[in-house]
Amino acid sequence: MNESLIEVVQGRNNPMIDPSLHIWGWEIPVYLFLGGVVAGMLVLSAALALRDRDGPRSKALQTAPLLALGLLSVGMAALFLDLEHKAYVWRFYLAFKAASPMSWGSWILLLVYPAGIMMGFGMLDSDRRAALLDSRFVRGLHLRSLVMCILGRADAARRGALWAGIIAGSALGLYTGILLGTMVSMPLWNTAVLGPLFLTSGVSTGAAVLLLLPLSTGERHVVARWDMAAIFVEIVLIVVMLIGFATGGHASHVAFSQLVDGPSASAFWALVVVAGLAAPFTLEAIEVRRSLKPLALTPILVLIGGLSLRWILVIAGQASSWANIP
Amino acid sequence: MKEKTDKRYAMVVDTRLCVACKACVLACKAENRVPYGFNRDWLVEVTTGRFPDLALENRSERCNHCSNPPCVHACPTGASHVNEGGAVLVTHHKCTGCKACIAACPYGARYVHPDGYVDKCTFCLHRVRDGREPACVEICPTGTLHFGDLSDPDSDVSILLRTRKYKVLHPETGCEPNVYFLE
Amino acid sequence: MTRLNRRQFIQIGGAAAGGLAAGVGLSTKWYGLDPDEVADPGTDGDRVVPSFCEMCFWKCGILAHVKNGRVTKITGNPAHPLSRGHLCPRGTGGIGLLYDPDRLKRPLIRRNRGQMQEFEEVSWDAALDLVAEKMLKIREKYGPEAMALYSHGYGGSWFKHLLHAYGSDNIAAPSYAQCRGPREVAFHLTFGRMVGSPENTDMENSRVITLIGSHLGENMHNTQVQDFTRAIERGAGLIVVDPRYSTAAGKARYWLPIKPGTDLALLLAWMNVIIGEGLYDHDYVEKYAFGFDRLKEHVRDRTPEWAFTRTSIPPETIVETARFMAGGRPASLIHPGRHTTWYGDDTQRLRAIAILNALLGSWGRKGGLTLPSKVKLPKYPYTKYPGQSKNPPDMPKGTVYPLANEILSQGLCMASIPGTAAYDLKAWLVYGTNLIASLPDPDATRKALQALDFVAVVDVLPTEITGWADVVLPEATYLERCDEVHTPAYKEPFLAVRQPVVEPMYDSKPGWWIAKELAHRVGLDDYFPWKDSVEYAMYRVKHGGFDCEELKRTGVARGKHVPVFIDDGLEPVFDTPSGKIELYSQTLEKAGFDPMPEYTPPDEPPDGHFRLLYGRSPVHSFSRTTNNRFLCQVVSTNEVWVNAQAAREMGLRNGDMVRLINQDGVVSEPLALKATQRIRPDCVYMVHGFGHNSRLLKFAYKRGASDSRLMTRYKVDPIMGGTGMNVNFVRVEKAA
Ligand SMILES: Nc1nc2c(c(=O)[nH]1)N[C@H]1C(S)=C(S)[C@@H](COP(=O)(O)OP(=O)(O)OC[C@H]3O[C@@H](n4cnc5c(=O)[nH]c(N)nc54)[C@H](O)[C@@H]3O)O[C@H]1N2
Ligand SMILES: Nc1nc2c(c(=O)[nH]1)N[C@H]1C(S)=C(S)[C@@H](COP(=O)(O)OP(=O)(O)OC[C@H]3O[C@@H](n4cnc5c(=O)[nH]c(N)nc54)[C@H](O)[C@@H]3O)O[C@H]1N2
Ligand code: SF4
Ligand code: SF4
Ligand code: SF4
Ligand code: SF4
Ligand code: SF4
Ligand SMILES: [Mo]
């Protein structure tokens, strides 16, 4: 019956579920974005630190891990705002559920802070340390001896702390991808590519934030190259994802159509693919080739692209939900 | 106290009989104090064909109490869990309202209760434990809804699934639903 | 110069301000870290009171759960034969009526303030004194017949009693001339017995069920739907004749999307095939029927081909379905329907349905129509009614509907416009019927209301009719009062009681109290000798030999089983002139009508118009539940069904807001368009009961559109005065 028509009367009409799923608003994409940025910043700054051994490090790079933790806190605040039963937030920490990426995430977040602090403190030079110990925050709260103690430990295990930063950062990056990728309910999310995609996007946006900081020329060069590599990988992953959707079953077609003619499709192509990936890739390539003075525009485009990627995938993903396919 | 049982609760919906009157929806709302404007169960009425060659399917839907429940897997706190007879429940005071379970459910079976926690069909376990039928099953004037234990080969639901053609919703998702629709 | 009307529609003003706190009590339960994870919502009652429902007129047995003085839920009484433990959605929704914040709360009196009219809250004494004073004045000035009672619903018995005692028998309800009338007359003419309510069908045992319009499943009379689906479950075959793909049609083996108004042609053609092919029940017809040969002759040329050109149903389908239904006989039921006032030739259509049932031998047979009996309870020993000397004025001058066997509601309404009937009605008492929505031609109803000297309305909600009253008396709902004992004719005779579940809210009072107080004030104490309705009911129950205490606990008691089928040894009696089933009706012949049904073609819609059809939503009862917030959670408005192709041709899309404009230029409220394959392209369909214009129904006000408003025309059945209402035509226009 190819001529057959279908009329569906759907009586569920639950708020946030119907007519299309919209449980997650701006908070989750912002959180996922910042999580990715922080992951990238930690991994890249630790990698730089490991690479340079004791070589000169820019002041900017020294403060990057602590800045990252600040951004992470903003992300967690967004996450908290999204909780509907806020008084019960502590319940995250009375359980560890191995099957739940959200549970992994909540514990990973707990690990990122100590790792970031150890690594960050270890990277500070003596001027910064003095400034830290002298800061109003530390003096006001009588934290001097605690900070001294942490600094001592950080120095003792400097490489270990850097590796911890890399591991915690990677875990954070991976989990933000897996969180959505494990949902069988959303054809658009339920692809193996999403985890790696979010991870590489995290590296790239983390690099972009670093590039906006006054890094040394050498550091800048390295970060920009890594960024290009990450962007390239991202482009490849998106192509793989689209091919996967285009050639899959019914669910994949629902996902595919979200990205080619759904309400978010034009935003996806304009903001994510062109502005967020193609443009900065080209700009960076030119900058590196011609050794031009770097523009702030390039990392800003990357950040716009990274945020849009999460935002659009969160919205279009919900729109693709099986819950709204009768 | 939670008893461990080998029961496997299931619901069988005889779409041939359903008249889409929605008594099941309203009885559930009254029984379970489902807040105004929210539904734990609902009707999907599907007409296919062209005038005058038409077919109509009325489905009374609710949480499928999946045997492989992605909502439970997704829950970080253990609030969503598998209870007696495989019924999937949410413990209100363990729920953070993170909505991971809602995102994970392919059936739109859950919603955020105005009090903040996530809520859904409980298979009326509070009644079932007293040997009563779920409220929706009890009220249904057409006998569309059957509730019972699939591990008992002589239960209504087992017999119906043995003798009639049935389907589950979105089997592709691999959730192994326990609400069956007779054709 | 415009003259101030004596009475105009006003809102019951000012008083109803109180905002009801919407808060649902916070849970006070203390949670340990891991208490029992199966939370009990706690809606089981501390008390469970058996009673019967009044959300429609079917009267299913209910169990009302009461916790901390509030009704938490209503479930079906398993012991009650009409519910068998199940309810329709409206039955569950009783809580939405009980706790409707818009309920009438205190008695109201209309006052003239200069050019303005408004309602004032008064004491019961003041309100009752005024009604009594008017009743006495009317009786003195015009005689008691000048006062009419409209009464629909079970609580009306007290007022009927009051009016008879007062001296007027002018009592009507829209459930006759706007509903069952043609069916009851037709079946009485044919079998000497009416169908009644609950309908005397035995669907659960039917092998073939034929529905002419009756949209069971949307028409949600509980037991009937139960029996209907039991039949389907047991494999019964279903033929549904409906221009619309109704829920029932969705279950049918044969759906016949008939051209509206042509059913009689189809019915005659079916007879043609069944008689022509000898498929009828020879023995049964031989034994019980009168006039078979004349019928045979009558339908000889009513061939399937002849019917095809009228009904648009292909001749092969007619033949096939005729054979199919005959194959199931005698357990083959042509459902008599209920709302049968469609085209003005309705008694004849229903006669054809009755005759077809007779040919199939299904009257008095298992799976067909039962011959039910009642529990007989002694009447309360009252003084005899005075009786009315004049005939009811329900047939306007120059008209006569000789076979009407109840008073015509529309006729009484017309008689209130001075000079139109044998004598003028001067006052109405209205109990439980929203005449603005339920009588056709609402303009005429309004005109009548303006002409009257006095109108008193007993109701539970501020529906439109209350806005026309001089006095509004707020009744307690069915969950707050005890009414007359229910003893219907049914295949299993039983009796059931309505018990108060909770105390009346606000200043509302039960109907028995209101009637008794009025009787006292007009000097009719003799007729209300009991203390209260409980004492009254107990008297009847006890003297009928039933145990009152047991009945209070269970809500229902069964009578002795008596056979209801011929097969079980029941000898049928036919109260007709021939003492037989009258295929050929001598009564009709004598009264000058076709003794056997003749087809008359319906009018054609004017260009660009559709025939307006209407029906039920399973979730609502007429106009009485559309303010019920609980029920409206699942259906809160109506929509107009238009054939998808026809909609496309008008440039309209599914979900568009449209207005309907009828042949007389009356414009409906805006409502959403449902563009669907499920209806013929020559008609549109909507659910009755929405489109309230009483602002005080805060929820229902302006939700959806009213079919009644578009019924400026109706066709009166010449045999019994029923008002056919499927005769209006509408255009569909996009709402601006
Ligand atoms: N939920 C609910 N149930 C109710 C009620 C209620 O208010 N709510 N009211 C009760 C009462 S009092 C009554 S009287 C009944 C009414 O219920 P029914 O007796 O079933 O009412 P009908 O008027 O026969 O039904 C309307 C159906 O007839 C179809 N129809 C319209 N014109 C024609 C025609 O020319 N030919 C044919 N064959 N079909 C046609 C319409 O498309 C529609 O499906 O419902 C009862 N049940
Ligand atoms: N246009 C149109 N007209 C119709 C029909 C149609 O489908 N379309 N259907 C026809 C049919 S089949 C019927 S049976 C009639 C029904 O006609 P009505 O019986 O007039 O039905 P409702 O419109 O529900 O009005 C019921 C009134 O009773 C009040 N009421 C409810 N419960 C109680 C109570 O316990 N006590 C008191 N005192 N009042 C109460 C309600 O508030 C409301 O005002 O309408 C007929 N008229
Ligand atoms: S109560 Fe029964 S018949 Fe009515 S909608 Fe629910 S399942 Fe269907
Ligand atoms: S239907 Fe949804 S909520 Fe219910 S068990 Fe399955 S996945 Fe979980
Ligand atoms: S919303 Fe509640 S039940 Fe759902 S996943 Fe989060 S904590 Fe678990
Ligand atoms: S089983 Fe209980 S909770 Fe679930 S839909 Fe039915 S009545 Fe509601
Ligand atoms: S059919 Fe429904 S509304 Fe009517 S009496 Fe029964 S339960 Fe009540
Ligand atoms: Mo009716």
Side-chain angles (χ1 to χ4, degrees), chain A residues 43 79 132 170 187 220 286 305:
Chain A
V43 170
L79 189 59
L132 175 69
S170 310
R220 179 174 299 283
I286 296 171

Side-chain angles (χ1 to χ4, degrees), chain C residues 227-239:
Chain C
D227 291 352
F228 175 60
T229 45
R230 278 303 63 68
I232 295 173
E233 194 172 33
R234 289 176 42 263
L238 189 59
I239 301 168

Side-chain angles (χ1 to χ4, degrees), chain C residues 583-604:
Chain C
L583 306 178
Y584 182 96
S585 169
Q586 305 183 77
T587 313
L588 282 175
E589 181 185 30
K590 223 186 267 161
F593 298 107
D594 294 330
M596 288 175 297
E598 263 306 351
Y599 171 74
T600 44
D603 297 337
E604 294 295 325

